[in-house]
């Protein structure tokens, strides 16, 4: 009964925490790359929407860094250089809000699954 639901909840919450922590640095890098790409992108809105609709938009590993208008030189940064620039704190920025979001999703999903199972005449998970 309650023990089974509680153990499922603890296991799911632990999985959410581990997966969030493991994927956070990669998502931070992707956000940084996307931000830099959007800052240098000179496509018209219509062209960008058309490219997204046909799945043409892609992100390159080497991204031009936005420089002041007076400086016409551009330096490309690798993912490793971006990670070094962000540092550990930058790679894990936003982790607490992400953990709250993931934990809420896990709890709501488990409650929904158990409720639907009971409404359908099935025993709750784990019984």
């Amino acid at each position: 009964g309650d023990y089974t639901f509680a153990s499922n909840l603890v296991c799911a919450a632990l999985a959410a925490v581990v997966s969030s922590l493991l994927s956070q640095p990669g998502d931070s890098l992707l956000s940084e790359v996307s931000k830099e790409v959007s800052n240098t992108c000179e496509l018209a809105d219509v062209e960008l929407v058309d490219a997204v609709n046909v799945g043409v938009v892609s992100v390159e590993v080497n991204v031009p860094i936005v420089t002041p208008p007076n400086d016409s030189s551009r330096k490309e940064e690798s993912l490793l250089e971006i990670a070094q620039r962000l540092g550990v704190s930058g790679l894990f920025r936003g982790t607490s809000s992400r953990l709250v979001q993931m934990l809420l999703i896990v709890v709501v999903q488990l409650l929904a699954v158990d409720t639907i199972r009971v409404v359908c005449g099935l025993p709750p998970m784990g019984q």
Side-chain angles (χ1 to χ4, degrees), residues 7-31:
S7 63
N8 287 341
L9 185 63
V10 168
C11 290
L14 183 59
V17 168
V18 169
S19 63
S20 293
L21 291 175
L22 290 176
S23 63
Q24 182 67 29
D27 286 346
S28 293
L29 283 173
L30 181 61
S31 294

Side-chain angles (χ1 to χ4, degrees), residues 47-63:
E47 292 172 335
L48 183 59
V49 169
D50 289 343
V52 170
N53 287 337
V54 296
V56 174
V57 174
S58 65
V59 177
E60 297 290 327
V61 173
N62 290 322
V63 181

Side-chain angles (χ1 to χ4, degrees), residues 40 64-76:
T40 59
I65 294 178
V66 177
T67 55
N70 297 337
D71 185 3
S72 62
S73 66
R74 286 186 161 175
K75 175 186 178 283
E76 291 189 356

